[in-house]
């Protein structure tokens, strides 16, 4: 007998893409209506809802009356839902976001009767290295996917192994998630077409049934499908209709011997469309900002607030996860679709910010209003620089910051604000109009400290924290009315603000902790902080900055020579290379006759801040970039646009890296701009951090399908090559260029179409050729920020995991709201985590019906060697849970919790 066949009816549902969400949802409702009607009419029918609960949620929001019908089919095992909330792009969000996606999808599926226990990942543009561990630690033993699998896999399944050794059996959808459709083209010929397909692919199936995925994008299967298949089934080749879960867990028997370890980014069996890493920069930056804001909000809410804002946090997470969809954050949709993704991410960040600020307001209420509260979101103590608004010091005095324990710190004056906010002359009859500007005590965003009312003169003195006693607006109105009657004619009305300044203050903050400080004028030089580590002052010059750990010198061409603490020198850092791009949102493509612009026409250097805590240089380079491509898109235009690119170079006391930010107004179309970090000698490998792992890659990518294997790769928190490590603000694209002699990071890729029909580096269109003018970013200010860390010891020796967290996560600052001039509360510490190369991806409030409220801490060992981690804080017991929060083991805690983590292990504990 020939191999039996199992048909899996399904659809793949891009929630938004070449149409916006609501347009696709209208189609979704029609499609799922058809699925329900078909399933209820034919007991043999099964359906798999694409592995994502978003489609079910979106449907039931429009058809709430059908919830019981859906639940009944789930309970019968004829409708497979979950386990994901949405089918995400795995490289353009954090590892924590992937976990929350699985958690929220699983929970939503459970409410309908149960999740499909298959890590279904049918259309992602490659897969992260730690996905097998994420699935395994949620109790999921199987995965199914298409893109990214290396050419060495010659069967229909393999064992996919994460860096920590975790494995999931993975069904390889080698012909895509629609391989069964061609068999169904002519219903009366299904039997013969299936025989031809089975014979053609026989070497892949072994003794297992042929899997025929019977579905495509945005369409329900024909209601007659099960009847067609019953007719086509026979003794020689029986046909079964099943869910994907039923096929994988009920029909597969062959032993799987092939093993693939790590990420899946091969082009050998399908396009992975790597250009999505760099198109529509703004979406990548908004995703990073939203993830960072909700992470901080969860930590502040769990550690410092009595209010449980879980419902708001869940809303924010839902919006973030919706936006990770593989046609959303990637930017491969129309302009209106991408605008909606950006708005959704902004709304998520706004929701999280409200929770964060409300949580901080509770401890801020114990800090005097002439002082500040600083909160550290990281579980390790740090000395951070914070910018605050303070009263300007009188001439001849300096500013010092005082902590709760009486230690003092140096303060750097950054700028001073003007004191005259308005100086007006008006007739006495108009004075009442001036008083309408006052709202209780507020005027021009400040508070009235006191006022001076003399004949024909009214002067307001404003302050952020009034010290002039009570203020009564009704009394002022009466006094002004009387004075106007007594002294008619012209009046002078002046509004004077208290002299203010922006100060830069070093503040030592405990792990996950709080610290308060006050800045005041002093006649004596500021004493050094008693608790802070020694911090060499920054010494600036006209074209150089140094702090004893890092030195930066600006070369004549505007690039940087950067010297690390161990003497490692990187020459030419920041060389900008701009070239044409005739590709689309999915794939970069150079014009046939490209013109690369790397030399500026003009260079200026300006010292804008001169230390000693922070110093900054502004390097402005003017480039002549071609305006666009020619009509045939095969060369760059002769017309050029003079484009100044500002590069702000910053060195802070105590930091072993140089901070760099670039900004320019983009007025050119169809081009790619990259920031080069030349290396002292060529290298053949790079490593980048993201999604609970640091992944090593070579100079090439595996090809073999219809897509040129361009070796551009993703990086989330840092990328390292040889002695150069670059700390990143958001998910970015990089490549080792010039035969491994330089690291290139993409700053902008400007294109004008979702897909192009004829692409020089891709055989088939990735979508329809739909214009996307917004992806050109014309008229937009393009900003990027990162840090360059030289070290001969590489990323591990340079402590890049911890430094990247410090670079990405600023401390949080709030003004106190208690009465002024009171005593500062003592510093407070939260959860502390000690361990080398350990990432803490989440600290949040959780609730268990049996064990009550606790604080969940998720850690990941970012190293290939075992490590010991110590967790301390205000808790007496600890429970280890899986990634779905299910209890695994518990233990009492006397003096902290010690954890032995294996290489690359993800561990989640709940402390109480």
């Amino acid at each position: 007998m020939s191999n039996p066949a199992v048909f899996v009816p399904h659809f793949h549902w891009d929630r938004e893409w070449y149409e916006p969400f609501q347009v696709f949802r209208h189609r979704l409702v029609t499609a799922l209506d058809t699925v329900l009607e078909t399933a209820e009419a034919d007991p043999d029918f099964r359906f798999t809802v694409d592995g994502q609960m978003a489609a079910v949620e979106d449907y039931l929001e429009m058809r709430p009356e059908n919830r019981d019908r859906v639940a009944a089919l789930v309970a019968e095992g004829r409708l497979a839902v979950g386990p994901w909330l949405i089918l995400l792009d795995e490289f353009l969000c954090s590892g924590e976001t992937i976990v929350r996606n699985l958690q929220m999808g699983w929970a939503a599926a459970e409410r309908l009767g149960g999740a499909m226990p298959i890590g279904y990942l049918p259309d992602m543009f490659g897969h992260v290295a730690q996905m097998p561990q994420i699935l395994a630690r949620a109790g999921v033993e199987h995965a199914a996917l298409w893109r990214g699998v290396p050419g060495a896999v010659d069967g229909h399944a393999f064992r996919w192994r994460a860096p920590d050794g975790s494995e999931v059996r993975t069904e390889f959808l080698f012909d895509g998630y629609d391989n069964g459709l061609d068999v169904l083209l002519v219903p009366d010929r299904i039997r013969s077409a299936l025989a031809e397909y089975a014979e053609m692919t026989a070497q892949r199936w072994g003794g297992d049934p042929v899997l025929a995925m019977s579905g495509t994008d945005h369409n329900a299967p024909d209601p007659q499908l099960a009847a067609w298949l019953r007719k086509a089934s026979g003794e020689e080749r029986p046909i079964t209709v099943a869910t994907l879960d039923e096929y994988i867990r009920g029909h597969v028997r062959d032993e799987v011997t092939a093993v693939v370890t790590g990420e899946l980014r091969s082009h050998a069996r399908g396009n992975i469309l790597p250009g999505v890493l760099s198109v529509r920069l703004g979406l990548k930056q908004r995703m990073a900002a939203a993830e960072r804001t909700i992470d901080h909000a969860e930590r502040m809410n769990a550690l410092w607030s009595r209010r449980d804002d879980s419902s708001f946090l869940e809303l924010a997470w839902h919006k973030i996860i919706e936006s990770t969809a593989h046609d959303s954050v990637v930017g491969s949709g129309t302009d209106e679709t991408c605008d909606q993704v950006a708005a959704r991410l902004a709304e998520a960040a706004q929701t999280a910010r409200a929770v964060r600020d409300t949580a901080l307001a509770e401890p801020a209420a114990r800090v005097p209003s002439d002082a500040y509260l600083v909160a550290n979101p990281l579980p390790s103590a740090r000395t951070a620089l914070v910018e605050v608004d303070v009263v300007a010091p009188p001439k001849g005095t300096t500013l010092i910051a005082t902590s709760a324990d009486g230690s003092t710190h140096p303060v750097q004056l950054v700028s001073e604000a003007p004191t005259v906010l308005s100086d007006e002359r008006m007739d006495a009859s108009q004075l009442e109009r001036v008083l309408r500007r006052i709202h209780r005590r507020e005027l021009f965003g400040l508070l009235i400290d006191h006022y001076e009312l003399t004949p024909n003169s009214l002067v307001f003195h404003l302050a952020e924290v009034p010290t002039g006693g009570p203020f009564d607006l009704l009394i002022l109105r009466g006094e002004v009315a009387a004075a106007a009657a007594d002294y008619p004619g012209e009046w002078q009305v002046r509004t004077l603000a208290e002299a203010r300044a922006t100060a830069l203050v070093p503040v030592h903050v405990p792990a996950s902790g709080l610290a308060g400080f006050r800045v005041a004028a002093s006649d004596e030089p500021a004493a050094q902080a008693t608790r802070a580590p020694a911090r060499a002052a920054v010494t600036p010059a006209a074209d150089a900055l140094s702090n004893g750990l890092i030195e930066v010198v600006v070369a004549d061409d505007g690039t940087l020579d950067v010297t690390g603490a161990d003497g490692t020198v990187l020459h030419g850092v920041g060389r900008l290379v701009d070239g044409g791009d005739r590709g689309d949102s999915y794939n970069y493509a150079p014009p046939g006759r490209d013109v690369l612009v790397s030399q500026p026409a003009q260079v200026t250097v300006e010292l804008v801040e001169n230390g000693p805590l922070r110093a900054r240089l502004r390097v402005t380079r003017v480039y002549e970039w071609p305006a666009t491509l020619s009509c045939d898109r095969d060369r760059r235009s002769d017309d050029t646009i003079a484009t100044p690119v500002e590069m702000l170079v910053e060195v802070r006391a105590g930091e072993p890296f140089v901070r760099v930010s670039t900004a320019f107004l983009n007025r050119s179309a169809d081009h790619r701009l990259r920031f080069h970090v030349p290396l002292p000698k060529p290298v053949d490998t790079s490593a980048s951090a993201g999604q609970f792992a640091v992944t090593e890659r070579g100079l090439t990518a595996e090809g073999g399908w219809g897509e040129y294997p361009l070796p551009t790769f993703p990086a989330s928190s840092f990328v390292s090559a040889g002695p150069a490590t670059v700390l990143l603000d958001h998910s970015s694209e990089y490549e080792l260029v010039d035969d491994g002699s330089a690291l290139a990071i993409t700053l902008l890729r400007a294109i004008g179409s979702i897909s192009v029909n004829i692409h020089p580096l891709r055989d088939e269109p990735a979508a329809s050729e739909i214009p996307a003018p917004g992806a050109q970013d014309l008229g937009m200010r393009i900003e990027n920020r990162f840090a360059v860390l030289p070290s001969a010891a590489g990323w591990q020796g340079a402590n890049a995991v911890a430094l990247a967290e410090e670079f990405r996560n600023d401390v949080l600052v709030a003004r106190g709201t208690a009465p002024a001039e009171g005593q500062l509360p003592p510093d407070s510490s939260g959860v502390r985590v000690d361990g080398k190369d350990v990432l803490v991806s989440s600290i949040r409030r959780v609730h268990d019906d049996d064990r009550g409220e606790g604080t969940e801490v998720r850690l990941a060992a970012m190293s290939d060697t075992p490590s010991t981690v110590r967790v301390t804080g205000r808790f007496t017991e600890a429970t280890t849970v899986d990634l779905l929060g299910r209890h695994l083991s518990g233990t009492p805690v006397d003096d902290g919790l010690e954890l032995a983590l294996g290489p690359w292990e993800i561990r989640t504990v709940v402390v109480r």
Side-chain angles (χ1 to χ4, degrees):
M1 187 176 74
S2 303
N3 292 51
V6 177
F7 281 73
V8 175
H10 75 102
F11 57 41
H12 174 55
W13 207 271
D14 301 294
R15 194 167 186 260
E16 54 199 356
W17 182 17
Y18 56 83
E19 293 283 8
F21 161 58
Q22 296 295 358
V23 174
F24 271 147
R25 173 150 73 172
H26 193 270
R27 300 180 189 176
L28 170 69
V29 170
T30 301
L32 281 179
D33 280 346
T34 300
V35 167
L36 294 188
E37 292 164 4
T38 303
E40 290 167 343
D42 190 338
D44 290 340
F45 185 76
R46 302 287 193 274
F47 192 77
T48 299
V49 194
D50 205 28
Q52 54 177 334
M53 282 301 299
V56 180
E57 288 185 349
D58 294 340
Y59 173 75
L60 291 178
E61 190 174 357
M62 296 293 104
R63 294 278 195 269
E65 68 276 12
N66 288 346
R67 185 176 186 86
D68 289 344
R69 295 172 66 193
V70 171
L73 291 171
V74 172
E76 294 171 14
R78 297 202 292 133
L79 191 68
V81 297
W84 301 101
L85 178 59
I86 207 159
L87 295 182
L88 72 163
D89 186 281
E90 300 168 31
F91 292 96
L92 292 175
C93 64
S94 70
E96 185 62 31
T97 298
I98 297 176
V99 171
R100 300 303 180 91
N101 188 339
L102 184 58
Q103 289 177 344
M104 294 183 76
W106 194 277
E110 287 291 303
R111 291 192 290 270
L112 279 174
M116 177 177 71
I118 308 295
Y120 186 47
L121 305 162
D123 199 28
M124 286 72 165
F125 307 150
H127 304 278
V128 298
Q130 287 282 39
M131 183 59 78
Q133 184 179 180
I134 292 172
L135 294 173
R137 288 185 179 267
V140 178
E141 299 176 347
H142 299 270
L145 50 82
W146 167 32
R147 303 183 195 267
V149 177
V153 174
D154 55 9
H156 73 100
F158 60 95
R159 286 163 32 219
W160 187 14
R161 183 177 297 163
D164 78 312
S166 301
E167 290 185 359
V168 290
R169 181 201 175 276
T170 302
E171 186 68 25
F172 177 27
L173 309 176
F174 57 89
D175 275 340
Y177 55 79
D178 59 355
N179 70 309
L181 286 187
D182 287 348
V183 173
L184 302 173
L185 285 175
V186 181
D188 290 340
R189 292 194 67 251
I190 289 176
R191 184 178 298 178
S192 59
L194 177 60
E196 292 172 6
Y197 179 74
E199 181 180 357
M200 181 175 63
T201 59
Q203 62 181 11
R204 288 196 173 269
W205 301 113
D208 284 338
V210 174
L211 171 63
M213 297 293 290
S214 307
T216 187
D217 296 357
H218 314 131
N219 284 286
D222 192 291
Q224 298 301 310
L225 174 63
W228 295 343
L229 295 177
R230 281 193 295 268
K231 182 179 178 181
S233 181
E235 291 186 7
E236 182 179 348
R237 191 184 308 278
I239 295 176
T240 304
V241 178
T243 65
L244 183 62
D245 180 27
E246 289 173 326
Y247 171 78
I248 290 175
R249 298 203 298 161
H251 292 275
V252 173
R253 295 289 180 267
D254 272 3
E255 185 71 21
V256 177
T257 57
V259 178
V260 178
T261 300
E263 70 175 4
L264 305 179
R265 288 194 63 84
S266 169
H267 305 254
R269 294 294 306 179
N271 297 339
I272 65 168
L273 310 171
V276 299
L277 296 172
S278 51
V279 73
R280 295 196 193 260
L281 167 71
L283 291 182
K284 281 63 173 176
Q285 293 174 325
R286 284 182 182 269
M287 175 61 70
E291 289 178 324
R292 195 155 45 234
T293 306
I294 196 170
D295 179 35
H296 293 175
E298 284 191 327
R299 298 184 189 212
M300 296 303 109
N301 182 258
L303 298 174
W304 305 113
S305 178
R306 294 184 299 272
R307 171 173 169 162
D308 184 355
D309 269 331
S310 297
S311 57
F312 285 94
L313 293 167
E314 184 174 2
L315 172 65
W317 269 119
H318 201 288
K319 290 184 177 297
I320 289 172
I321 293 165
E322 289 176 66
S323 304
T324 65
H326 65 287
D327 287 305
S328 296
V329 69
V330 297
S332 60
T334 61
D335 288 352
E336 60 180 341
T337 294
C338 293
D339 288 345
Q340 290 178 345
V341 177
R344 190 183 304 131
L345 287 169
E347 190 175 351
Q350 292 155 8
T351 305
R353 175 162 55 87
V355 174
R356 181 200 68 194
D357 293 351
T358 299
L360 279 180
E362 293 185 41
R366 298 188 291 273
V367 175
S369 58
D370 60 339
Y372 287 90
L373 174 75
V374 179
N376 179 11
L378 300 182
S380 55
R382 63 198 290 200
T383 298
L385 295 183
V386 298
E387 277 191 10
V388 292
D389 181 74
V390 298
V391 177
K395 288 186 178 181
T397 64
T398 60
L399 290 176
I400 62 166
T402 305
S403 298
D405 65 357
S407 61
T408 56
H409 310 259
V411 171
Q412 178 179 324
L413 198 62
V414 176
S415 63
E416 295 192 47
T419 58
V420 179
L421 301 185
S422 71
D423 189 345
E424 305 167 275
R425 294 185 181 275
M426 63 188 65
D427 188 79
S429 62
Q430 301 298 308
L431 291 178
E432 172 61 27
R433 297 178 61 186
V434 172
L435 301 185
R436 293 174 193 164
R437 302 170 181 169
I438 303 170
H439 301 275
R440 290 176 292 278
R441 193 167 187 162
E442 181 269 331
L443 177 60
F444 296 165
L446 297 170
L447 298 178
I448 296 174
D449 183 79
H450 64 281
Y451 58 89
E452 300 171 16
L453 182 60
T454 58
N456 299 99
S457 175
L458 175 59
V459 181
F460 293 106
H461 294 269
L462 310 184
E464 288 207 354
V465 181
T467 59
F471 170 80
D472 191 320
L473 181 57
L474 291 178
I475 292 176
L476 173 63
R477 288 185 184 279
E479 291 177 348
V480 169
D486 291 342
Y487 302 99
E490 187 177 74
W491 277 63
Q492 182 181 27
V493 180
R494 304 179 74 212
T495 306
L496 306 179
E498 180 181 44
R500 308 295 296 181
T502 300
L504 194 63
V505 183
V507 183
H508 182 83
V509 200
S512 302
L514 305 174
F517 71 93
R518 176 184 280 117
V519 176
S522 172
D523 295 331
E524 301 295 330
Q528 293 296 318
T530 57
R531 297 172 303 165
R535 302 169 66 86
V538 182
T539 55
D543 59 356
L545 304 173
S546 176
N547 68 357
L549 298 173
I550 193 83
E551 182 181 47
V552 186
V553 178
V554 182
D556 291 342
D557 63 355
T559 62
L560 311 175
D561 293 336
V562 184
T563 305
D566 63 356
T568 297
V569 183
L570 302 175
H571 293 286
V573 171
R575 178 174 179 255
L576 299 180
V577 180
D578 185 79
D581 190 342
R582 62 160 297 173
D584 51 33
S585 64
Y586 292 102
N587 295 79
Y588 159 80
R593 290 169 286 171
D594 200 2
V595 173
L596 298 180
V597 180
S598 61
Q599 294 300 315
Q602 180 182 343
V603 179
T604 58
V605 182
E606 176 188 5
L607 179 64
V608 294
E609 207 169 288
N610 60 3
L613 297 175
R614 183 179 71 190
R616 290 171 165 175
L617 291 168
R618 181 183 294 114
V619 181
T620 303
R621 291 172 284 179
V622 180
Y623 294 88
E624 292 289 340
W625 289 342
T628 186
L629 294 180
S630 59
C631 293
D632 62 3
R633 299 187 60 77
D634 209 36
R635 62 180 178 84
R636 303 189 78 180
S637 65
D638 295 329
D639 295 335
T640 62
I641 298 173
T643 305
V645 180
E646 294 181 355
M647 182 169 66
L648 191 65
V649 183
E650 177 180 318
V651 170
R652 298 184 180 184
E655 289 187 343
F657 51 78
V658 55
R659 296 172 180 255
V660 178
S661 59
T662 61
F664 63 94
L665 183 67
N666 182 47
R667 296 190 293 158
S668 295
D670 305 308
H671 69 126
R672 181 181 68 174
L673 177 66
R674 302 208 282 189
F675 181 100
H676 282 221
V677 180
L679 305 174
K681 61 180 181 180
V683 299
D684 55 14
T685 60
S686 63
S688 76
Q691 300 82 31
F692 303 128
V694 179
T695 301
E696 188 170 295
R697 306 181 178 98
L699 294 175
T700 61
E702 182 184 33
W705 187 247
E707 179 180 58
Y708 183 80
L710 198 69
T712 52
F713 298 112
S716 292
S717 59
F718 68 79
V719 57
S720 184
T725 297
V726 180
L727 313 180
L728 301 168
D729 173 71
H730 60 271
S731 294
S732 301
E733 172 192 86
Y734 79 91
E735 182 181 1
L736 285 177
V737 297
D738 302 332
D739 298 321
S741 295
L743 176 65
I745 298 170
T746 305
L747 302 184
L748 173 69
R749 200 166 72 82
I751 52 87
S753 180
I754 289 180
S755 176
V756 293
N757 293 333
I758 305 299
H759 194 294
L761 301 185
R762 190 185 65 229
D763 288 350
E764 59 179 327
S768 298
E769 191 168 300
I770 299 173
Q776 296 282 15
D777 281 328
L778 288 170
M780 300 294 292
R781 184 171 172 83
I782 307 301
E783 298 182 355
N784 286 272
R785 77 179 189 104
F786 29 86
V788 179
L789 172 64
S791 173
W795 65 267
Q796 282 186 291
N799 200 25
V801 172
L803 291 176
E805 284 297 282
E806 288 196 16
F807 174 70
R808 290 165 68 92
N809 294 276
D810 291 333
V811 294
L812 309 173
V813 184
R815 180 184 284 279
T817 57
E821 301 181 357
Q823 186 173 354
L824 290 169
D827 293 356
S828 302
S829 180
V831 173
R832 175 172 173 171
V833 178
D834 294 300
K836 179 77 166 64
D837 292 334
V838 173
L839 171 72
V840 177
S841 71
S842 173
I843 300 175
R844 64 163 174 162
R845 183 196 304 259
V846 293
H847 183 83
D848 184 284
D849 290 339
D850 297 325
R851 296 174 178 82
E853 190 170 282
T855 301
E856 181 186 84
V857 182
R858 188 158 15 259
L859 314 96
M862 302 287 279
S863 171
D864 57 2
T865 58
S867 58
T868 299
V869 180
R870 184 170 174 77
V871 183
T872 52
R874 300 184 298 274
F875 55 87
T876 57
E877 66 173 90
T879 302
T880 299
V881 299
D882 71 5
L883 284 184
L884 296 180
R886 297 174 296 208
H887 176 86
L888 297 176
S889 64
T891 181
V893 176
D894 290 329
D895 183 29
L897 174 67
E898 193 164 285
L899 302 173
L901 298 185
W904 309 110
E905 180 185 351
I906 304 168
R907 183 84 63 88
T908 308
V909 296
V910 177
V911 296
R912 293 179 172 87

